[in-house]
Amino acid sequence: SPNEEVVQLYASSWSRVMGREPLIVGGLGCVDACYLAAKGIPVVTGGVSRTGNNVHANDEFVLRSDLKGFSKIVELTALNYLRRA
């Protein structure tokens, strides 16, 4: 839910790093977060998939700048979460 604290922290980190608001949507992907969500633990997932990257395909790659940006988003989200805990 966009109302969950972890989602709001992630969205804030995304905005800070990317300079624009993130698109928050639900998904049906198979990720380990589904096990936490099934127990009622709020989760957020993200990644570097976008036009220009070749994710989950032959010769898979992502742009280095996208990977660096995503790493910073995860770092800021974790730090801000721990500061609030």
Side-chain angles (χ1 to χ4, degrees):
S1 165
N3 299 322
E4 293 290 350
E5 180 183 23
V6 69
V7 176
Q8 292 175 356
L9 290 169
Y10 181 86
S12 175
S13 297
W14 177 280
S15 295
R16 184 173 168 193
V17 172
M18 302 302 286
R20 62 184 187 279
E21 294 296 314
L23 177 61
I24 299 173
V25 298
L28 297 175
C30 183
V31 296
D32 289 343
C34 70
Y35 300 111
L36 298 173
K39 300 287 186 183
I41 299 169
V43 296
V44 62
T45 62
V48 294
S49 181
R50 72 169 174 103
T51 302
N53 289 334
N54 192 30
V55 177
H56 302 307
N58 291 335
D59 299 322
E60 181 174 34
F61 73 91
V62 296
L63 301 175
R64 185 176 295 152
S65 60
D66 288 348
L67 191 57
K68 286 182 180 180
F70 182 68
S71 297
K72 187 64 176 174
I73 292 165
V74 172
E75 176 187 12
L76 286 173
T77 302
L79 289 172
N80 288 329
Y81 183 82
L82 292 172
R83 286 184 186 124
R84 291 180 171 213

